[in-house]
Amino acid sequence: LKSPIREKAATTVCNNTSSSCLMSSTRTFESSIINAPCPKVWSKIRSMDFAWWRLVKKTAVTTGASSCEVGSCHKIDYSDGSSWTVRLCELSDIDHFLTYEVIASTEALPVTSAVHTIRLRRITASSETMVEWETIFSNDAGNPVIEDSRFKKLEAFKDLAAACTA
């Protein structure tokens, strides 16, 4: 796969006047309460088809025996015409989380890397679910990327809540 993300890694993100580079990462974290039990919310998240999110037009498994196989790759087509290829890195049915990384995109992304983790936590007192979505970006992620990620997560939570209570 031609990977604009990996190609961007070849460009330096360091201050050219410095003799060394300090590598760091940028993290975004958002959470929300969904008024549905954890198993119902997990059934929406686990498949990685993002059918509940209005920003996603369609998804397809491109490599791997199933959508839930660690190492499988998924093509995500967004409603704005862009596409990402992501690789499932971790999935736990016990702890209700999955982690995926963006490995390619149709358009060059403004970051070298992005690793997403969506984790669910049972709220036992009310039979609700807390959804946490964390993204760790490479250190070349600027404020526009961070804010865009934040707002898209908040929109996704609304769509997920609607899908789980429908």
Side-chain angles (χ1 to χ4, degrees):
L1 287 171
K2 182 178 178 185
S3 173
I5 295 169
R6 302 287 186 229
E7 288 172 12
K8 186 169 171 131
T11 57
T12 182
V13 292
C14 303
N15 181 343
N16 289 332
T17 62
S18 171
S19 62
S20 65
C21 298
L22 176 64
M23 297 305 288
S24 63
S25 64
T26 303
R27 173 183 173 265
T28 63
F29 179 88
E30 296 298 329
S31 62
S32 184
I33 303 296
I34 305 293
N35 188 17
C38 193
K40 185 171 188 175
V41 180
W42 183 237
S43 72
K44 303 288 185 194
I45 299 292
R46 186 183 194 277
S47 66
M48 285 195 58
D49 67 5
F50 299 99
W52 47 269
W53 194 6
R54 70 182 137 178
L55 291 182
V56 174
K57 186 177 176 181
K58 68 177 182 173
T59 61
V61 177
T62 58
T63 62
S66 75
S67 64
C68 302
E69 178 183 334
V70 171
S72 62
C73 292
H74 307 249
K75 183 179 179 202
I76 304 170
D77 293 330
Y78 292 94
S79 56
D80 68 359
S82 64
S83 294
W84 287 2
T85 301
V86 302
R87 183 177 66 86
L88 181 61
C89 303
E90 295 180 275
L91 184 138
S92 173
D93 286 324
I94 294 171
D95 293 323
H96 299 104
F97 78 91
L98 58 81
T99 299
Y100 63 93
E101 68 176 332
V102 181
I103 60 171
S105 66
T106 54
E107 300 174 11
L109 296 178
V111 296
T112 305
S113 67
V115 178
H116 299 262
T117 298
I118 302 173
R119 180 179 304 274
L120 307 183
R121 300 194 187 271
R122 297 173 194 262
I123 301 176
T124 59
S126 62
S127 192
E128 294 173 305
T129 304
M130 180 173 163
V131 181
E132 302 171 346
W133 192 337
E134 176 183 42
T135 305
I136 300 173
F137 294 105
S138 51
N139 69 338
D140 53 350
N143 282 339
V145 171
I146 303 306
E147 287 302 305
D148 184 61
S149 174
R150 180 176 174 264
F151 288 120
K152 284 182 178 165
K153 287 177 176 78
L154 296 174
E155 290 174 5
F157 291 150
K158 290 178 187 175
D159 291 347
L160 180 59
C164 289
T165 57

